[in-house]
Amino acid sequence: MDAPEPETPFAAVSAQTTKYGRIYQSYLDKSTPFTTYRWVGTGVVLFLFMLRIVIAQGWYIVAYSLGIYLLNLFLAFISPKFDPGLDTDTDMEEGGPSSSLPTKSTDEFKPFVRRLPEFKFWYSATKAIVIGFCCSWSELFNLPVFWPVLVVYWLILVVLTMRRQIQHMLKYRYVPWDFGKKAYGKSSN
């Protein structure tokens, strides 16, 4: 009978990492249906981050970087998965650009599919805010900048990118919001 080989330190660490990764993933999976609570928690963490920036009077580069990243996530969240502006005449697999959004009144309706699903949007935003909050405690990231310039530049980016996105939404007639079933007139029998 052979004795079992001794476990290497790398294998032991890898096993523990895998174990904790599974536990973490199970909690993420359990949080999926609680959309409101997840976003409230993210809002609280964002508020704490902003409070930290205001009270500490620094880390404006971290806040600016976080703002740019959150804007990028939001744009991916409200964009269709397949851009109808890139529609080509080549044979596409089901779900490709030619079958995602109706562009004419005679086209068949397909539901809006986001480029970035809500859960991934929430998860990425929360993770970024927590990382930004942690960075705001290190002097390494406290670079001297004139913060009003960053605020103005960020607002210009928001206005320009949202204007372009809204024009795209109007051009291809899609709305990324779904607030429940639409109510139609009473049916007459």
Side-chain angles (χ1 to χ4, degrees):
M1 224 175 174
D2 292 330
E5 284 188 37
E7 192 172 308
T8 64
F10 179 75
V13 169
S14 179
Q16 286 294 24
T17 306
T18 303
K19 175 186 169 188
Y20 290 126
R22 274 188 258 137
I23 292 170
Y24 178 69
Q25 187 62 46
S26 74
Y27 282 117
L28 275 179
D29 292 343
K30 289 177 186 175
S31 74
T32 302
F34 303 105
T35 307
T36 304
Y37 297 118
R38 287 189 283 116
W39 282 105
V40 166
T42 300
V44 168
V45 174
L46 182 61
F47 175 76
L48 291 174
F49 172 75
M50 291 189 309
L51 190 65
R52 164 78 179 139
I53 298 300
V54 169
I55 290 174
Q57 294 295 308
W59 291 274
Y60 300 119
I61 290 292
V62 174
Y64 175 73
S65 302
L66 178 63
I68 295 292
Y69 183 70
L70 292 178
L71 176 63
N72 186 31
L73 286 176
F74 181 70
L75 288 172
F77 176 70
I78 64 172
S79 298
K81 187 172 186 175
F82 303 106
D83 189 357
L86 301 176
D87 194 6
T88 60
D89 292 333
T90 60
D91 291 333
M92 294 264 166
E93 61 184 84
E94 182 62 31
S98 61
S99 64
S100 61
L101 294 174
T103 55
K104 300 177 191 111
S105 61
T106 57
D107 288 350
E108 178 185 352
F109 170 75
K110 304 274 185 182
F112 183 79
V113 179
R114 300 180 186 284
R115 181 178 301 161
L116 181 67
E118 182 273 332
F119 185 81
K120 289 183 179 180
F121 175 38
W122 166 80
Y123 182 68
S124 298
T126 305
K127 194 165 52 171
I129 294 167
V130 168
I131 290 170
F133 188 75
C134 292
C135 288
S136 74
W137 293 94
S138 171
E139 281 298 321
L140 178 67
F141 299 105
N142 191 10
L143 302 174
V145 294
F146 187 58
W147 65 266
V149 172
L150 292 179
V151 171
V152 169
Y153 185 59
W154 185 80
L155 289 173
I156 289 170
L157 281 174
V158 168
V159 168
L160 291 176
T161 55
M162 289 308 295
R163 189 185 92 209
R164 187 184 58 176
Q165 186 67 31
I166 290 170
Q167 286 174 343
H168 190 268
M169 292 163 67
L170 293 174
K171 181 178 180 182
Y172 294 105
R173 295 189 305 270
Y174 66 91
V175 179
W177 320 113
D178 56 347
F179 295 111
K181 185 178 178 183
K182 302 284 185 234
Y184 297 102
K186 293 181 181 179
S187 62
S188 57
N189 292 350

